Amino acid sequence: MKVTLVSRSGKEIVKGGIELTDSATVADLQREIQKRTKKSPDRQRLTLPVPSGSRERPVVLNSKKSLKEYTDGNSRTLTIIFKDLGPQVSYRTLFFFEYLGPLVLYPVFYYFPVYQFFGYKGERVIRPVQTYAMYYWCFHYAKRIFETFFIHRFSHATSPLSNVFRNCAYYWTFGSYIAYYVNHPLYTPVSDLQMKIGFGFGIVMQISNLYCHIILRNLRKPEGDGGYQIPRGFLFNIVTCANYTTEIYQWLGFNIATQTVAGYIFLLVAAFIMSNWAFAKHRRLKKLFDGKDGRPKYPRRWIILPPFL
C-alpha cells in the first residue's frame, strides 16, 4: 500500500509517498512519518481529505486501526492530510502546573505580609472566614492535582505546549486576583451563618465533583480509550455534564461564603467556559446516540445547570 502524505494546502510532505504492507496500521504509518520528518506521533494529526465545499469535519485516523479501514477496500493507495501539532506535553503535566500555581500563590497572600508592598501599613487581623477560605481553596486544588494523577483517564496523551502558558496565565492570575481581595486587611466578612451555608454547600459540591470524575473515569479503559459512552448514575441521570455543574456550584459556595467581586468574576468566566464545553458535549452525545441502527437514544437531560440549561 502506498500512502501519499500532504499538507492542508496540498503540498507533499514525503516525496514519493510511503510504501507500507497491506496489513499496516496507522501506528506503523506514524512511525514511518517520524523516521522521515523527525515529528513524533504525538505531534502528528492525520486526517482523510474532505471534498471541496463540504462542511463535514475531517475523519481523524485512529492509531490502533488498520490503514485498510480508511480505504474503499480495493484501493492500494491512500491520501492523508498531515498537520504538525507542534511541541507537546502530557495532560498530566499541563494540569499539574496550572493547578500548582493557585495552590501555592493563594497561601502567600494569607501567610505573608505582602500587603505592605501595596502600601498598607496597618496591623492585619485575620478573620475566621479568611482562614476557612484558605483551607477550602487549597483543598480544591490539592484535590484537582490528586485527580490528575490518580483519577482521570485521558483520551489524548498530549496537549500543545502553548496550552501550558495559556492555562497557567488563566489560573495563576485569577488565583492571585481572588487571594488578594479575600485576604486583604480591609476585607469585610459576611455573617457567620452565610459563611457556614456557603462553605457547607461548597464542600458537598466538591465531594460530588470528585464522585462525578470517578464515574467518568470508569467509562474509559485504563489505556484511555473506549469511545464516547452515555454517563449514568448519580447526577448524570439528570444532567449531561454533572462534573461541570458541581464545579460551578462549588465556586458558588465559595463566593457565598467570601463575597468578593473578584470571586464572582471568576465564577462567571468559568461558568461561561464550562457551559460552552457542556453544550458541545451534549450535542455530540445526542448525535452519536440517536436511537438509529441499534444505537441507544440519548435520554432527555439538562445540559449543565438545572433548571436553566
Side-chain angles (χ1 to χ4, degrees):
M1 174 182 290
K2 182 178 180 180
V3 176
T4 301
L5 201 67
V6 298
S7 66
R8 286 186 292 181
S9 63
K11 181 181 178 181
E12 193 171 14
I13 303 296
V14 177
K15 298 297 182 182
I18 300 174
E19 293 286 347
L20 295 163
T21 64
D22 290 345
S23 60
T25 64
V26 175
D28 294 328
L29 172 61
Q30 289 178 314
R31 284 191 285 269
E32 290 299 320
I33 294 173
Q34 183 176 12
K35 289 179 183 177
R36 290 164 170 76
T37 66
K38 307 302 180 185
K39 310 295 184 185
S40 67
D42 290 337
R43 294 182 59 155
Q44 301 172 21
R45 185 175 188 264
L46 306 178
T47 59
L48 296 179
V50 176
S52 179
S54 174
R55 293 186 177 182
E56 293 184 5
R57 298 181 67 177
V59 175
V60 180
L61 275 60
N62 186 325
S63 62
K64 296 185 178 181
K65 290 187 176 182
S66 167
L67 285 170
K68 271 193 172 181
E69 295 184 45
Y70 297 102
T71 67
D72 57 13
N74 299 316
S75 176
R76 293 182 56 81
T77 62
L78 184 62
T79 299
I80 292 176
I81 309 296
F82 169 85
K83 181 182 178 181
D84 180 10
L85 297 175
Q88 302 285 298
V89 295
S90 72
Y91 269 100
R92 285 190 170 86
T93 299
L94 169 64
F95 287 171
F96 172 74
F97 281 105
E98 70 182 41
Y99 298 145
L100 180 65
L103 178 63
V104 171
L105 290 172
Y106 192 99
V108 169
F109 287 86
Y110 178 84
Y111 285 109
F112 296 98
V114 295
Y115 294 95
Q116 294 180 6
F117 299 103
F118 296 100
Y120 185 83
K121 302 300 182 181
E123 183 181 356
R124 179 181 172 221
V125 177
I126 297 177
R127 313 286 185 175
V129 65
Q130 293 171 313
T131 300
Y132 295 139
M134 195 270 295
Y135 291 150
Y136 183 101
W137 181 280
C138 291
F139 174 77
H140 170 76
Y141 283 104
K143 177 181 80 73
R144 298 294 289 180
I145 291 175
F146 171 81
E147 291 170 340
T148 296
F149 288 99
F150 301 104
I151 302 295
H152 294 322
R153 288 173 177 167
F154 302 98
S155 57
H156 300 287
T158 61
S159 173
L161 177 62
S162 59
N163 286 350
V164 174
F165 303 102
R166 182 198 65 187
N167 291 17
C168 285
Y170 171 79
Y171 280 100
W172 294 28
T173 300
F174 263 121
S176 300
Y177 180 46
I178 295 169
Y180 174 84
Y181 284 102
V182 175
N183 294 291
H184 199 281
L186 300 180
Y187 170 78
T188 302
V190 298
S191 69
D192 189 61
L193 177 61
Q194 183 174 333
M195 177 190 71
K196 290 177 180 177
I197 291 173
F199 284 139
F201 175 71
I203 287 294
V204 170
M205 289 298 103
Q206 289 219 48
I207 296 171
S208 298
N209 181 256
L210 172 62
Y211 187 51
C212 287
H213 288 153
I214 292 173
I215 291 174
L216 292 176
R217 163 195 168 88
N218 293 333
L219 294 180
R220 285 203 175 109
K221 298 176 182 177
E223 56 271 18
D225 48 338
Y228 285 102
Q229 299 183 48
I230 300 175
R232 302 183 189 278
F234 193 44
L235 297 177
F236 285 107
N237 290 334
I238 57 174
V239 185
T240 291
C241 294
N243 51 320
Y244 297 152
T245 303
T246 51
E247 179 81 12
I248 292 170
Y249 282 158
Q250 68 186 15
W251 286 118
L252 176 61
F254 178 85
N255 283 300
I256 290 172
T258 56
Q259 204 84 343
T260 64
V261 172
Y264 278 111
I265 291 174
F266 175 63
L267 173 63
L268 290 174
V269 172
F272 176 76
I273 293 171
M274 286 186 279
S275 293
N276 285 335
W277 293 344
F279 274 103
K281 184 173 182 179
H282 187 77
R283 287 193 296 267
R284 193 180 304 119
L285 289 172
K286 287 190 69 176
K287 183 178 180 179
L288 288 172
F289 301 103
D290 54 9
K292 300 176 182 178
D293 301 323
R295 293 185 292 271
K297 186 172 179 60
Y298 193 74
R300 183 177 176 82
R301 292 176 177 173
W302 300 105
I303 298 174
I304 184 170
L305 291 175
F308 307 109
L309 300 175

